[in-house]
């Protein structure tokens, strides 16, 4: 759905405005994040200057002007009702929930999805997505504390009356009017703003923090403050290395696969969350000063989307590195993962994007040939689809380096996609299905082009 009714702003355009407003707000709230953006810009410019081929590719694909724009942010919520309101808001901005991530296995008591555009045009127009986590209250062991957390969450309303009215109105009209978009964005943005005053007293905060720092972060504040934003870098190792020179302390390691000639999936790193002063609201009306650690900045570098087979191979390499407990370095653990496009394609490890090969002479009827024949005759070429989603092990690494110490370290709970979907009131989209569909669509488009090119000779 790219066409909107007269006077209504396209969802992709609304998302672009929302993400720009979010970025401006966050830069003001966390100045160090502004410094990170400047650093990323500088290094991206250096990479482009040194690599004219990459520069041309990014320019031709229309990606150059969006390079330094945020790729994603993250929030954490406490109830099904909150998740449902967010789902409605993000739908108005052309974002659908894709994939289920279980973080409990890695010691974080949440499960998550990411709201993101699901069309190629949407991703191009504004790549912004939101990693959204739902607290798993059942993982709070102490039943009294669990009931208290539940009661506190049940009382809170994360959207203002004005924001809710605006959303209901937009749903009724099928979109947000162009003339009302700025007001809409301003109203919904408030939900993600940092609140310096906690919604609970100090003792309650301490008790929640004891259960897990994340429990305190979700339960003890008025709303799901945005906890980081993430621009895209063309050289994550260079940014990681340069951070200290800019007065930014990076987390110890880059999450995800090692550096490769053909980048895989997603690599991420962040700077350590700030210790921020907050106020607790005591029962007698007094305010007591304290501190909380939640907000940080992150960068990401994206590579090839892997098929289920490729992903299994990736997970096995990662497990091998983990077993080495630091003795086996990441590069060595990935040594047998092919790092050239021909092998990756031959072994079916990556999702393919098809194009008509440049300069190919197209015989009549070629559009109906089997794809293997088209490839063998050099009429089509392929490249990897870019991975647009997240990685649970990496996400847990990012969570942990930013929450500080605390919590039991791991949970024995099984993943529960069904519980997440029930809370949300709708199914999650499957990321593997999505890449397969994108790949099929690119093949279809290439066949149409073959037909046109053959006919035009
Ligand atoms: C989310 C951490 C996960 C990512 O990029 O993998 C994440 C959080 O800390 O709330 O953002
Ligand atoms: Ni992130």
């Amino acid at each position: 759905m790219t066409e909107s009714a007269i006077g209504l702003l396209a969802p992709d355009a609304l998302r672009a405005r929302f993400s720009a407003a979010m970025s401006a707000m966050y830069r003001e709230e966390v100045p160090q994040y502004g410094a990170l953006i400047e650093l990323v810009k500088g290094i991206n410019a250096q990479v482009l200057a040194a690599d004219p081929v990459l520069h041309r590719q990014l320019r031709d694909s229309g990606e150059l002007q969006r390079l330094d724009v945020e790729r994603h942010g993250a929030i954490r919520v406490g109830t099904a009702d909150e998740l449902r309101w967010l789902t409605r808001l993000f739908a108005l901005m052309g974002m659908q929930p894709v994939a289920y991530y279980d973080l409990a296995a890695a010691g974080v008591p949440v499960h998550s999805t990411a709201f993101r555009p699901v069309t190629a045009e949407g991703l191009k127009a504004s790549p912004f997505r939101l990693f959204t986590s739902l607290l798993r209250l059942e993982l709070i062991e102490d039943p009294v504390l669990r009931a208290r957390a539940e009661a506190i969450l049940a009382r809170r309303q994360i959207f203002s009356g004005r924001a809710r009215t605006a959303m209901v109105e937009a749903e009724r009209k099928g979109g947000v009017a162009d003339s009302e978009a700025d007001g809409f964005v301003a109203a919904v943005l408030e939900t993600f703003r940092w609140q310096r005053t906690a919604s609970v007293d100090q003792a309650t905060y301490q008790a929640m923090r004891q259960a897990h720092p994340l429990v305190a972060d979700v339960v003890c504040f008025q709303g799901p403050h945005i906890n980081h934003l993430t621009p895209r870098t063309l050289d994550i190792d260079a940014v990681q290395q340069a951070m200290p020179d800019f007065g930014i302390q990076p987390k110890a390691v880059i999450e995800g696969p090692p550096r490769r000639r053909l980048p895989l999936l997603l690599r991420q790193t962040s700077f350590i969350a700030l210790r921020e002063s907050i106020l607790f609201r005591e029962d007698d009306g007094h305010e007591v000063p304290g501190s909380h650690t939640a907000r940080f900045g992150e960068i990401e570098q994206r590579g090839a989307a892997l098929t289920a087979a490729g992903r299994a191979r990736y997970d096995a390499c990662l497990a091998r590195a983990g077993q080495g407990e630091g003795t086996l370095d990441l590069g060595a653990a990935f040594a047998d993962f092919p790092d050239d496009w021909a092998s990756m394609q031959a072994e079916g490890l990556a999702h393919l994007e098809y194009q008509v090969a440049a300069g190919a002479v197209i015989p009549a009827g070629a559009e109906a040939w089997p794809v293997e024949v088209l490839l063998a005759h050099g009429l089509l070429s392929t490249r990897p689809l870019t991975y647009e989603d997240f990685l649970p092990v990496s996400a847990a690494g990012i969570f942990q380096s930013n929450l500080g110490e605390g919590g039991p370290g791991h949970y024995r709970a099984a993943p529960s996609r069904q519980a997440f979907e029930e809370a949300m009131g709708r199914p999650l989209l499957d990321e593997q299905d999505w890449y397969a569909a994108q790949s099929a669509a690119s093949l279809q488009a290439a066949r149409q082009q073959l037909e046109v090119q053959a006919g035009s000779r």
Side-chain angles (χ1 to χ4, degrees), residues 45-338:
Q46 281 170 23
V47 172
L48 289 171
D51 189 344
V53 175
L54 180 67
H55 192 156
R56 189 154 16 87
Q57 271 171 8
L58 289 173
R59 194 195 53 211
D60 293 350
S61 64
E63 285 193 68
L64 201 55
Q65 67 269 32
R66 289 190 322 277
L67 187 57
D68 305 310
V69 160
E70 278 77 5
R71 292 294 154 137
H72 80 263
I75 52 172
R76 307 154 182 168
V77 295
T79 68
D81 183 64
E82 293 171 358
L83 190 57
R84 286 177 191 217
W85 274 107
L86 289 167
T87 305
R88 292 168 72 171
L89 171 63
F90 298 146
L92 288 165
M93 299 183 189
M95 297 154 90
Q96 302 292 322
V98 181
Y100 174 78
Y101 305 102
D102 167 39
L103 284 298
V108 186
V110 302
H111 43 188
S112 318
T113 188
F115 291 90
R116 68 164 174 87
V118 291
T119 62
E121 313 82 68
L123 283 162
K124 259 195 186 155
S126 163
F128 188 66
R129 56 210 85 180
L130 267 167
F131 191 91
T132 302
S133 300
L134 175 65
L135 180 63
R136 292 179 72 177
L137 279 170
E138 76 274 18
L139 298 184
I140 302 178
E141 221 164 276
D142 175 358
V144 177
L145 194 66
R146 191 188 319 134
R148 178 127 175 72
E150 220 165 324
I152 294 169
L153 288 170
R155 280 204 305 269
R156 84 174 180 185
Q157 178 55 259
I158 63 170
F159 284 102
S160 67
R162 183 173 151 227
R164 275 175 285 150
T165 308
M167 283 189 261
V168 171
E169 177 70 5
E171 286 171 345
R172 197 180 56 75
K173 286 197 300 211
V176 175
D178 207 339
S179 58
E180 289 166 7
D182 288 340
F184 181 92
V185 166
V188 298
L189 192 64
E190 287 309 304
T191 295
F192 308 99
R193 190 183 290 283
W194 174 244
Q195 307 287 336
R196 220 183 133 227
T197 306
S199 59
V200 299
D201 58 25
Q202 190 169 24
T204 306
Y205 176 90
Q206 296 301 1
M208 297 295 168
R209 199 169 191 296
Q210 197 67 34
H212 196 287
L214 188 123
V215 175
D217 187 57
V218 175
V219 174
C220 302
F221 294 87
Q222 191 41 53
H225 37 255
I226 180 84
N227 69 52
H228 68 277
L229 287 176
T230 307
R232 170 186 179 190
T233 171
L234 297 175
D235 188 344
I236 197 166
D237 302 277
V239 180
Q240 171 89 350
Q241 223 173 2
M243 274 198 228
D245 299 339
F246 281 65
I248 305 172
Q249 189 197 346
K251 75 189 278 300
V253 293
I254 296 173
E255 299 290 341
R259 187 181 185 93
R260 325 229 329 149
R261 270 185 301 127
L262 249 176
L264 297 179
L265 296 170
L266 172 64
R267 299 182 72 208
Q268 299 167 290
T269 185
S270 59
F271 66 71
I272 303 301
L274 313 173
R275 192 180 185 83
E276 300 179 90
S277 51
I278 59 169
L279 294 170
F280 298 111
R281 210 190 299 265
E282 301 302 304
D283 283 348
D284 64 3
H286 270 84
E287 286 183 337
V288 176
S291 71
H292 181 67
T293 315
R295 303 189 306 154
F296 57 98
E298 185 192 42
I299 51 172
E300 65 173 42
Q301 186 172 359
R302 289 185 179 269
L306 300 183
T307 57
R311 184 52 190 271
R313 200 72 175 260
Y314 169 80
D315 288 336
C317 291
L318 210 57
R320 206 175 308 150
Q323 279 154 13
E325 291 294 343
T327 51
L328 183 58
D329 93 332
L330 203 55
F334 276 78
D336 74 348
F337 201 116

